[in-house]
Amino acid sequence: MSLSSLIQVGVPIAAATAFGFWVTPGPWHRKVPAEITAADYVAAAPACLRHAVYLLADPEQTDVMLANLKLGSFDTGFPLVDRWDYDRHGLHVDVLMMGGQKFEDWANDGIRSQLATYLGAEQVTVTSPAPSWVRLQVRVHDTLAEPATTPVTVHKGVDLEAAHIGIREDGEPWLLRILYSHILLAGATGSGKGSVLWSVLNAVGPAIKAKLVDVRLGDPKGGAEFGRGADRLFTRFAIDSAGILAMLTEAAAEMDERLARMRAAGIRKLVPSVDEPLILIIIDEAASLSSYATRDDQEKFRVLIGQLLSKGRAAGVTVIAALQDPSKETMPNRQLFPVRVGLRLDEPTQNAMVHGQGAKDRGARCHEITDTTPGVGYVGEDGTTEFVRVRAFWVSDDDADAIVDAYSPAPEITGPAEDYTGFDPDDLGDDDIPGDGYAGPAVAA
């Protein structure tokens, strides 16, 4: 059985088939009616999950596994395996930890690896849905393995606080807050940063066309990635340090002017309009200014980015910074980004650089993303300790061209290029046509 033919929806397949007369879609508990045996569960399970079901459907087998992993013993007792159920990835198991145990006892790499071996899975992830509880995710199917469907241009309104830029691993849309936010996007070469940024542009495209969003983009790679949008989709486009710093300087001055107007009018948060649009600043390969430019340019960049990040959200100024190396030296103001997206990273320590200390144990494992799944990443936001695994839409060169064509605002007509003073619309020429406004040649008195 191929992995792609596995469970596609979060309902128990066996419950819907062999045991539909007893089990409705929902959790399966360890305590089951006597007439249904562990062997019945194993026989009804998908082939690649039968070993896991064999261990979980029989409490004695489960206890042996936990004892061998030193997560319980026959002398002191065992954690309570409360329920297990099929889901989109394979199955998940909810466990009430024993007194004295902590989340790290289950989430460390060694235990996860041993659990995967015992349960016959490629991977077991561990999260904590509630205090004292852990959830083991037995993964035999990656719902994000295939590229997300190419985005389709939308000609309706868009929610700037919930822009649709991809899919989550639970099948729900990946909605990203653009307005009143700043976003740090980190990923190694080839991890899919370009697709994330183009997906953002596609998602807010209708607002760009309506001139409710003013996009200003810095592309230090010389325009190779985003040059097709210069002078069309973007109101500012810079490809070198001097140009990008000038763009940021202008944006910071506009932000301060807005804040002064808002203060005078008693407005706490700007609502984008044609007169005062959301200023969306995107900087690709930000390290070219934060680390690899001259010292003076690095300092100017640090100050300008700090100003925009610390004061911009209420004024309708959003910064998206993309980089390969998420170290503090590369992005010194990274703590000012409330939304952080980590794509594939090279080192385990880089998880903490993007998502904070303990991020790896809490589920953000960017270093384990394969190079065959560009656009896959983990999203973290201020105010929550949970991470969401996502995949951005795949955007080809043709797709990017279509986005530019669909959403570039029409050029403004500033007025006639020539002087038509004295033009008589009724004059059709110098031929003698009655009523055409031509009076004939002048005659001397």
Side-chain angles (χ1 to χ4, degrees):
M1 176 183 292
S2 65
L3 294 184
S4 61
S5 65
L6 242 180
I7 305 162
Q8 299 297 324
V9 294
V11 298
I13 295 299
T17 55
F19 302 103
F21 62 89
W22 173 70
V23 183
T24 57
W28 288 7
H29 294 262
R30 299 183 80 191
K31 296 180 179 179
V32 300
E35 64 270 18
I36 299 179
T37 67
D40 294 326
Y41 283 119
V42 173
C48 55
L49 284 171
R50 283 176 186 161
H51 187 67
V53 171
Y54 168 72
L55 292 175
L56 295 169
D58 184 344
E60 293 183 1
Q61 295 293 335
T62 306
D63 291 344
V64 169
M65 177 183 71
L66 294 174
N68 289 336
L69 293 174
K70 296 182 173 53
L71 293 172
S73 75
F74 292 98
D75 294 328
T76 61
F78 293 95
L80 173 63
V81 180
D82 179 66
R83 66 179 71 188
W84 59 274
D85 195 7
Y86 288 117
D87 60 21
R88 294 171 58 87
H89 312 282
L91 55 82
H92 63 263
V93 189
D94 287 340
V95 182
L96 178 63
M97 293 185 287
M98 295 177 61
Q101 288 186 336
K102 55 185 182 297
F103 177 75
E104 290 75 14
D105 295 334
W106 295 77
N108 69 77
D109 289 347
I111 289 296
R112 290 194 315 109
S113 177
Q114 293 180 67
L115 282 167
T117 300
Y118 265 103
L119 297 171
E122 293 184 6
Q123 184 184 46
V124 172
T125 62
V126 182
T127 57
S128 180
S132 301
W133 288 84
V134 292
R135 173 167 291 176
L136 312 179
Q137 185 84 57
V138 183
R139 292 175 173 253
V140 295
H141 175 58
D142 184 359
T143 59
L144 299 179
E146 298 299 324
T149 305
T150 301
V152 177
T153 53
V154 179
H155 299 281
K156 297 180 180 179
V158 58
D159 185 349
L160 295 175
E161 296 185 68
H164 184 194
I165 70 167
I167 59 173
R168 308 190 331 176
E169 67 174 353
D170 60 5
E172 294 297 314
W174 175 16
L175 303 178
L176 187 65
R177 176 188 291 268
I178 308 297
L179 181 62
Y180 311 131
S181 182
H182 301 299
I183 301 161
L184 179 64
L185 173 62
T189 300
S191 62
K193 296 189 296 295
S195 282
V196 174
L197 296 177
W198 276 111
S199 293
V200 168
L201 293 170
N202 180 72
V204 303
I208 297 174
K209 191 173 184 68
K211 299 185 179 181
L212 295 172
V213 174
D214 176 354
V215 183
R216 307 175 186 190
L217 196 139
D219 184 0
K221 292 184 292 188
E225 178 72 37
F226 297 99
R228 53 176 43 89
D231 300 322
R232 297 188 64 196
L233 201 63
F234 316 131
T235 61
R236 306 287 188 280
F237 184 73
I239 60 174
D240 56 27
S241 296
I244 295 173
L245 290 173
M247 181 181 74
L248 297 178
T249 300
E250 179 186 21
E254 290 184 49
M255 174 188 68
D256 288 339
E257 292 171 1
R258 278 189 179 183
L259 289 171
R261 291 194 296 271
M262 291 167 61
R263 183 169 56 251
I267 299 172
R268 298 179 59 187
K269 184 180 289 187
L270 181 136
V271 177
S273 64
V274 173
D275 293 330
E276 298 271 22
L278 165 65
I279 298 175
L280 176 58
I281 301 170
I282 299 176
I283 305 174
D284 192 23
E285 302 297 346
S288 64
L289 279 159
S290 61
S291 293
Y292 309 136
T294 65
R295 181 163 299 187
D296 286 346
D297 284 351
Q298 288 180 41
E299 180 61 19
K300 290 177 183 176
F301 180 75
R302 185 189 67 80
V303 171
L304 288 168
I305 284 292
Q307 292 175 349
L308 292 166
L309 293 176
S310 60
K311 299 188 293 182
R313 284 193 286 171
V317 178
T318 293
V319 176
I320 302 178
L323 43 80
Q324 295 183 35
D325 176 9
S327 65
K328 186 175 182 180
E329 292 74 19
T330 303
M331 183 50 68
N333 297 302
R334 62 187 183 185
Q335 75 280 0
L336 296 178
F337 290 90
V339 178
R340 295 166 295 278
V341 181
L343 304 179
R344 176 175 56 82
L345 296 171
D346 294 326
E347 302 292 338
T349 55
Q350 292 178 322
N351 285 293
M353 295 177 185
V354 178
H355 291 303
Q357 294 299 322
K360 180 168 70 70
D361 291 335
R362 288 183 283 117
R365 312 187 73 83
C366 303
H367 63 291
E368 294 182 357
I369 299 172
T370 69
D371 58 6
T372 60
T373 56
V376 170
Y378 293 88
V379 181
E381 297 189 34
D382 284 354
T384 177
T385 60
E386 298 297 322
F387 299 101
V388 180
R389 188 167 175 263
V390 297
R391 187 164 191 175
F393 292 125
W394 164 250
V395 181
S396 67
D397 289 345
D398 289 341
D399 295 329
D401 288 336
I403 292 169
V404 173
D405 291 339
Y407 296 133
S408 293
E412 295 183 5
I413 300 175
T414 58
E418 299 182 20
D419 183 6
Y420 290 94
T421 302
F423 171 72
D424 184 352
D426 294 326
D427 185 0
L428 303 179
D430 60 0
D431 53 331
D432 193 8
I433 301 176
D436 73 347
Y438 178 66
V443 178

